Amino acid sequence: MNTPHTNGDQRPRMRRPVGMATRIRLWTVVILFFGAYILLRFGVGLYTDFLWFQHLNFESVYFTALWSKFWVGLAVAVPFVALFWTSAFFARWLSVRNVLFFSDETLVAQKFVVWIIIGAGLFLGWLVGTASATSWLMVLQFLNRQPFNFTEPVFNMDVGFYLFSLPFLHFVQVWLVVALFASLFGALAVYALAQQNNLAEGRLVILPHVQLHMSLIGALIFLTFAFGHRLSMFDLMYSNRGVAFGASYTDVNVSLPALWVMVVVALITAGILLLNIFLRRPALSLMAIFAWIIVGVVGTGFVPGIIQRYIVEPNELARETPYIENNIDFTNRAYGLNNIQERDFSRVEQLTPEMVAAEGTFLKNIRLWDYRPLQQTYQQIQSIRLYYQFYDIDFDRYMVNNELRQVALAARELDKNQLQSPTWVTQKLQFTHGYGVVVNPVNEVTREGLPQLWVKDLPPVSTFEDLSIAQPEIYYGEGTGDYVFVNTREREFNYPSGDQNVFTQYEGSGGVVMDSLLKRLAFAVRLSDLNMLLSQEFSNDSRVMLHRNIGERVRIIAPFLRYDRDPYLIINQTDGRLYWLQDAYTVSDQFPYAQPISDLNYIRNGVKVLIDAYNGSLTFYIADPNDPLVNTYAAIFPNLFTPMSQMPDWVRARIRYPEDLFRIQTELYRTYHMRDVNVFYNKEDLWQVPNETFSGNTQPVEPYYVVLKLPGEAESEFALIQPFTPNNKDNLIAWTAARSDGDNYGKLVTYRFPKQELIYGPLQIEGRIDQNPEISSQITLWDQGGSEVIRGNLLVLPVGNSLLYVEPLYLRAENGQIPELKRVILAAGDTIVMRPTLGEALVALFDEQGNALTPALTQAVEEADGLQPGAAAEVVQRAVESPAPVEPAVTPEAAGPAPSFAGKNVAELAKLASDHYDAAQKALQNGDWATYGRELEQMKTALDLLVELTGNPPPADGQ
């Protein structure tokens, strides 16, 4: 007899099936493992976030947000669960005690039902609490609300009620409805479970206790509906029904009474449902609910539509006048347009040298460098290495040699995607920061057509002590998106120096100090970076720098603010350190009657954020102390904001009116400068942003920063300008300036041109440039010569009671990357000129207007081209000569002795013609028009001889 272990019996063993208990244990282990992993990641996230906020001294901001989320979620979840449990357990108790239909053996009486109710309540409460916790800021705004101190005209409620109280009341009403409906469905589920036998037989018995329970919950639901209808009355302030945004004639006279009827019907329905507890007549309750639905459909939908179409629209202006006035008034208030000072630019005079000379440093600050070609130029001549990048060009003004000068500047940041050997050590330990800044005056150009750099190279070399850079390292910037480690045993790359590299050691306070194994372990888990635990380069002084992108950095600390798209680099002229200034906005979409633009209808530049480029420290300055929204945030986060009065003078000298805010304001001002209802309704004086030609494309004129003396003002100042034209027309009608200096910061002023006089707009000047035969043929010749002509921004600049139009022309070789400024086009009145420099263009402009050379003109030329006193004579001489932008073909007599073509064969003549063509193209790129014409003429001579030699004479003229 064979045993199971003998070789004679090779039958396979039978596996025992895995039991249910084993599967449960296995799944329990898996669930516990993933639960522990999720909790670990969550805990690590909380801990490392706390360390990051703590090293910036903003731990109070972190805890305010964290605990607010917890308490708001708990405040909603606890009543929700209590109400759900009360309803469900009450339904079970009523079902179990009804001995007529049930016994202890019924399903609803089983113990597991209790656990199901408890589990369902906790799960739903967790969902509700998590969802409601996201509204933590709205709750804090309600609790710390500040008044606006002016009321809307329909309900006479303070505007702060709409921004702070109304959203909170809607929040409470919505969660009450959700909790009551969850309680209703929970009770219905219990009653369905109690009647499983009847339901299985296809019978449904509505028992008295079920009617009682459902009627009670239904009455509470309709009470919350009545509350919601009352809140909906205030929502009429955001109605789109009428001709203007906000409560209209139909909303006030039809929808509002209809909502009051809805409130009454909802209250009556709630009373009938309560009464039905005793009457026990379901039909009565259904009739009340049906009546509520009918009133809602007819009263808030059908009837207002009929009234609007057949009563209001035929007499729209008469009916809507007071509501249009409300819209105009509150839109102007919401966007700060009511503070715009309007002035008349009563007459436009002919530009004279005396006007220009009287404008102080105006000519020294005319912006010839457009930010787009300038960025390409910076990248080619100042990036030094492939791994450096200029992400943006900023315009600002600085006192240089006791003069206010407008400059362009950009940070040289690190682009690690260009590293040749991107290892963990090079990316995280060695290449940690950008280095230096490039600065150039906006009006100065070298002989090669490049910007005259005042700060350049590595390490930074400054032409003026006013712009010296003492700490050029940039650890925090616009392009630094990754994390790095500093103060490690690995040396940090600082900057290249010839064939060698210069290294450094971080000496600042940026980053979280990893002075314990727990911190290293936590950040290793947070960053999923095992090398942090394996590397021997770390010490107790090592730091990890997170969120180094300044846009991401400010949004993590204060996500409730809206941020400008263009943070700008500034130089501290007292110690040579680099900082970033980031404009932040307080916004809302709840301002009554205010016209929305995108997702907001209220905005203020409430905050300015100063960010240290070396340490990453941040200071949030309150820029508008009269803004109730920023004051509300200051009450919520008392340790986050700093009063503007504490801003250092060197920072205050750098603040500028933010461009994003100005764009929004000017977009609305196109329409809302019309304060008269009749004019507004008919859009009689609608404006538009003019168009211009840039790089061959037609596009809207962007707002531009300039240094100029505003008409009627005594001093030059830094301002942001936007011109306007009438709708569907190209002539100028007005321009608006946003002021940035001193006590005038934040003031807006609009200058209106006389409507009876034609003032050329940018596109009309562009058209006149295209129609000028000398200029247009020159541009065409460049384009045909294998180069790309880039027409820069056309600037419209007020000079006294006159206007000066300035457009730079850049030339970029077909295969080149460096745009060179080759010409400056000036226009004033009916005169348009083009010359190589601004000074020459000014002389030519005034010469064509018949102005003689005066000391004022000489001074203007010297300032325009950045010349030394007395150096203007040569410029004047060149400018008054015939410009001949398109160099004429040079005749053999004028060109001097022609090269000898005698005795040349076909191949030699072809080679000679090719050489002259190449020389002509080189002269074209260098702007040497005399040589260009001479080489073309010699090429033509060679080609004519070649044709003769091959026996094919050229056609006669005119054929």
Side-chain angles (χ1 to χ4, degrees):
M1 181 177 178
N2 293 329
T3 66
H5 301 284
T6 62
N7 293 332
D9 188 354
Q10 298 298 326
R11 290 176 297 177
R13 296 182 180 180
M14 300 295 294
R15 292 186 177 182
R16 296 178 61 186
V18 179
M20 179 63 71
T22 303
R23 290 194 181 96
I24 292 175
R25 285 195 293 269
L26 178 62
W27 279 108
T28 301
V29 171
V30 171
I31 291 172
L32 289 176
F33 174 79
F34 280 104
Y37 175 77
I38 291 173
L39 287 175
L40 175 65
R41 298 286 299 191
F42 179 71
V44 165
L46 289 178
Y47 177 58
T48 53
D49 281 344
F50 164 71
L51 292 176
W52 187 78
F53 275 85
Q54 184 185 48
H55 99 279
L56 293 171
N57 296 319
F58 288 142
E59 60 267 32
S60 63
V61 177
Y62 174 76
F63 282 121
T64 296
L66 183 64
W67 286 113
S68 297
K69 294 175 185 177
F70 174 78
W71 288 115
V72 169
L74 192 66
V76 174
V78 168
F80 176 92
V81 173
L83 191 59
F84 179 85
W85 280 348
T86 299
S87 180
F89 281 120
F90 184 60
R92 180 177 181 274
W93 177 75
L94 288 175
S95 299
V96 171
R97 71 187 292 269
N98 193 335
V99 296
L100 180 63
F101 288 91
F102 305 106
S103 64
D104 291 341
E105 283 74 28
T106 57
L107 200 59
V108 75
Q110 300 300 315
K111 190 70 172 178
F112 77 90
V113 174
V114 174
W115 291 109
I116 290 177
I117 294 174
I118 293 175
L122 291 176
F123 176 71
L124 292 174
W126 175 75
L127 290 179
V128 166
T130 302
S132 60
T134 59
S135 300
W136 64 275
L137 183 62
M138 179 267 294
V139 175
L140 291 185
Q141 286 178 320
F142 170 73
L143 296 176
N144 296 273
R145 59 192 181 277
Q146 304 291 318
F148 276 71
N149 295 321
F150 65 91
T151 61
E152 44 79 20
V154 177
F155 301 103
N156 291 318
M157 301 292 292
D158 186 90
V159 170
F161 168 81
Y162 293 90
L163 271 70
F164 306 126
S165 301
L166 186 59
F168 175 76
L169 296 175
H170 274 302
F171 171 81
V172 172
Q173 191 266 344
V174 166
W175 284 116
L176 281 174
V177 171
V178 170
L180 289 170
F181 270 103
S183 301
L184 177 68
F185 292 132
L188 287 175
V190 172
Y191 288 130
L193 191 64
Q195 292 202 50
Q196 80 273 14
N197 293 331
N198 292 332
L199 293 175
E201 296 174 2
R203 295 185 297 110
L204 178 62
V205 180
I206 300 179
L207 302 174
H209 63 274
V210 177
Q211 293 185 40
L212 180 149
H213 194 175
M214 296 300 100
S215 296
L216 180 61
I217 296 179
L220 293 175
I221 289 175
F222 272 89
L223 287 175
T224 59
F225 283 168
F227 180 45
H229 296 324
R230 179 70 178 105
L231 296 180
S232 296
M233 298 178 192
F234 300 108
D235 292 336
L236 294 175
M237 294 295 104
Y238 316 116
S239 172
N240 281 306
R241 189 188 302 276
V243 66
F245 184 82
S248 64
Y249 176 90
T250 302
D251 294 317
V252 173
N253 295 281
V254 181
S255 296
L256 183 57
L259 285 170
W260 276 116
V261 173
M262 290 289 292
V263 170
V264 174
V265 173
L267 291 175
I268 292 175
T269 303
I272 291 174
L273 288 170
L274 288 175
L275 187 62
N276 196 50
I277 295 174
F278 307 100
L279 298 179
R280 298 180 182 179
R281 294 177 61 183
L284 188 61
S285 299
L286 292 176
M287 288 176 59
I289 295 173
F290 181 73
W292 173 77
I293 294 174
I294 293 298
V295 170
V297 172
V298 174
T300 61
F302 181 73
V303 173
I306 295 296
I307 298 297
Q308 181 70 24
R309 175 63 185 87
Y310 295 102
I311 303 298
V312 176
E313 289 184 8
N315 305 281
E316 195 168 48
L317 181 57
R319 303 280 187 182
E320 298 281 18
T321 291
Y323 310 103
I324 296 175
E325 289 177 344
N326 294 338
N327 172 262
I328 295 173
D329 180 27
F330 278 76
T331 298
N332 277 278
R333 288 173 181 261
Y335 295 96
L337 306 181
N338 58 318
N339 295 321
I340 295 180
Q341 182 182 4
E342 297 186 352
R343 301 176 183 175
D344 287 331
F345 207 104
S346 56
R347 56 195 176 96
V348 179
E349 301 175 353
Q350 181 177 343
L351 186 68
T352 65
E354 288 73 23
M355 283 184 182
V356 175
E359 292 299 303
T361 59
F362 169 72
L363 289 174
K364 293 183 178 181
N365 291 295
I366 290 181
R367 200 184 83 189
L368 299 181
W369 286 105
D370 187 282
Y371 65 91
R372 285 155 289 202
L374 184 59
Q375 184 176 5
Q376 299 174 29
T377 302
Y378 273 14
Q379 192 62 38
Q380 292 300 312
I381 67 176
Q382 277 295 301
S383 60
I384 311 297
R385 293 290 188 271
L386 289 175
Y387 43 75
Y388 284 126
Q389 181 73 33
F390 295 97
Y391 290 102
D392 188 28
I393 301 292
D394 298 313
F395 292 102
D396 205 344
R397 73 292 193 200
Y398 287 82
M399 292 300 296
V400 179
N401 277 354
N402 296 318
E403 285 187 326
L404 184 65
R405 299 296 301 271
Q406 185 179 6
V407 300
L409 68 164
R412 186 184 291 105
E413 298 192 55
L414 196 62
D415 181 6
K416 295 185 182 180
N417 294 324
Q418 302 300 323
L419 291 177
Q420 299 302 304
S421 55
T423 66
W424 183 83
V425 172
T426 57
Q427 289 185 314
K428 302 301 179 185
L429 305 182
Q430 288 185 344
F431 287 82
T432 57
H433 58 275
Y435 195 87
V437 62
V438 178
V439 181
N440 72 280
V442 295
N443 73 310
E444 294 188 14
V445 186
T446 67
R447 292 184 178 272
E448 295 78 22
L450 299 177
Q452 183 72 51
L453 302 181
W454 281 355
V455 181
K456 60 182 180 179
D457 297 342
L458 297 172
V461 177
S462 301
T463 305
F464 299 99
E465 186 177 350
D466 294 322
L467 297 175
S468 60
I469 310 297
Q471 193 167 66
E473 293 86 358
I474 301 174
Y475 285 87
Y476 301 86
E478 293 182 274
T480 50
D482 63 336
Y483 65 92
V484 295
F485 305 100
V486 296
N487 282 353
T488 64
R489 296 184 178 92
E490 183 70 38
R491 295 184 303 167
E492 292 179 55
F493 169 79
N494 207 25
Y495 62 89
S497 179
D499 295 333
Q500 304 295 320
N501 290 332
V502 177
F503 294 87
T504 188
Q505 189 77 9
Y506 184 70
E507 298 177 351
S509 59
V512 179
V513 180
M514 297 186 295
D515 52 4
S516 69
L517 180 60
L518 176 62
K519 291 182 179 179
R520 281 183 62 186
L521 181 61
F523 280 107
V525 174
R526 163 75 176 266
L527 302 173
S528 300
D529 192 341
L530 184 61
N531 289 323
M532 288 186 63
L533 301 178
L534 301 178
S535 175
Q536 301 298 312
E537 303 295 336
F538 292 98
S539 68
N540 287 339
D541 295 325
S542 298
R543 295 170 177 263
V544 55
M545 291 183 172
L546 302 174
H547 310 307
R548 298 194 300 137
N549 181 279
I550 56 177
E552 174 192 12
R553 196 171 185 83
V554 293
R555 284 173 176 85
I556 291 176
I557 295 173
F560 43 85
L561 298 175
R562 189 79 56 91
Y563 294 93
D564 194 272
R565 291 173 295 177
D566 185 25
Y568 56 102
L569 187 72
I570 65 173
I571 301 170
N572 183 347
Q573 292 185 282
T574 63
D575 61 10
R577 293 170 61 93
L578 300 177
Y579 292 80
W580 298 93
L581 262 179
Q582 171 73 70
D583 283 288
Y585 308 114
T586 53
V587 300
S588 176
D589 60 354
Q590 300 293 313
F591 202 92
Y593 268 118
Q595 177 67 38
I597 182 168
S598 185
D599 61 340
L600 58 89
N601 72 346
Y602 172 85
I603 185 169
R604 289 291 186 274
N605 180 208
V607 178
K608 292 185 180 292
V609 189
L610 181 67
I611 308 157
D612 191 318
Y614 188 74
N615 292 322
S617 58
L618 304 96
T619 306
F620 290 75
Y621 291 102
I622 295 180
D624 187 355
N626 297 319
D627 175 24
L629 201 49
V630 77
N631 291 331
T632 297
Y633 290 138
I636 297 172
F637 305 102
N639 296 322
L640 174 60
F641 296 102
T642 301
M644 192 77 163
S645 59
Q646 297 182 24
M647 176 181 282
D649 291 339
W650 67 267
V651 180
R652 188 179 292 272
R654 299 279 74 77
I655 63 175
R656 68 185 192 186
Y657 201 90
E659 187 173 342
D660 281 355
L661 173 61
F662 190 62
R663 285 176 182 268
I664 291 174
Q665 290 176 317
T666 52
E667 173 63 24
L668 285 158
Y669 192 63
R670 297 187 311 110
T671 303
Y672 284 90
H673 72 274
M674 297 180 284
R675 309 296 169 83
D676 182 86
V677 173
N678 289 325
V679 175
F680 181 92
Y681 178 80
N682 294 304
K683 300 296 186 285
E684 297 176 14
D685 192 22
L686 184 64
W687 296 350
Q688 68 180 18
V689 173
N691 290 321
E692 65 171 346
T693 300
F694 175 82
S695 191
N697 300 314
T698 300
Q699 64 182 34
V701 173
E702 298 179 351
Y704 44 90
Y705 290 102
V706 293
V707 171
L708 80 171
K709 188 186 297 183
L710 293 177
E713 301 295 333
E715 301 292 335
S716 297
E717 59 184 280
F718 192 58
L720 183 60
I721 284 182
Q722 177 67 72
F724 295 102
T725 62
N727 193 41
N728 295 324
K729 293 185 178 181
D730 294 327
N731 60 287
L732 279 183
I733 190 67
W735 58 278
T736 297
R739 309 173 72 175
S740 296
D741 290 344
D743 295 336
N744 291 320
Y745 173 78
K747 294 181 180 179
L748 300 174
V749 57
T750 294
Y751 294 87
R752 294 173 177 261
F753 293 109
K755 294 183 179 180
Q756 68 276 9
E757 184 177 349
L758 173 62
I759 309 298
Y760 291 120
L763 204 58
Q764 290 174 321
I765 294 294
E766 299 279 15
R768 295 184 61 215
I769 291 173
D770 293 335
Q771 293 169 5
N772 185 293
E774 294 178 344
I775 298 177
S776 61
S777 58
Q778 178 71 86
I779 293 174
T780 301
L781 184 62
W782 268 328
D783 283 331
Q784 292 176 347
S787 298
E788 178 189 3
V789 176
I790 303 173
R791 296 170 69 162
N793 280 129
L794 177 62
L795 305 182
V796 183
L797 303 174
V799 184
N801 288 327
S802 185
L803 291 176
L804 177 66
Y805 303 83
V806 182
E807 181 173 83
L809 289 186
Y810 310 92
L811 193 64
R812 181 169 56 196
E814 185 175 2
N815 298 320
Q817 296 295 323
I818 305 180
E820 299 175 0
L821 198 157
K822 288 299 184 183
R823 293 292 185 271
V824 177
I825 299 175
L826 294 185
D830 295 325
T831 306
I832 296 180
V833 298
M834 181 175 76
R835 292 293 188 275
T837 69
L838 178 60
E840 291 184 42
L842 275 171
V843 174
L845 181 73
F846 292 130
D847 181 65
E848 290 201 17
Q849 292 179 346
N851 288 286
L853 181 62
T854 63
L857 179 56
T858 302
Q859 177 187 347
V861 170
E862 292 170 352
E863 290 187 356
D865 288 350
L867 303 176
Q868 296 296 324
E874 182 181 351
V875 175
V876 172
Q877 181 65 29
R878 289 198 307 265
V880 297
E881 292 176 351
S882 177
V886 181
E887 296 290 337
V890 181
T891 63
E893 293 79 6
S900 173
F901 294 103
K904 303 290 184 184
N905 59 31
V906 172
E908 290 172 331
L909 285 172
K911 176 67 167 57
L912 196 60
S914 175
D915 290 343
H916 283 302
Y917 174 78
D918 291 340
Q921 294 303 308
K922 183 176 180 181
L924 173 65
Q925 293 178 3
N926 293 331
D928 186 352
W929 304 110
T931 303
Y932 177 74
R934 197 161 48 244
E935 294 293 339
L936 285 181
E937 182 65 25
Q938 292 172 357
M939 181 186 72
K940 181 178 181 301
T941 302
L943 290 175
D944 289 345
L945 289 173
L946 183 62
V947 171
E948 257 184 62
L949 193 61
T950 57
N952 295 306
D957 292 344
Q959 295 184 0

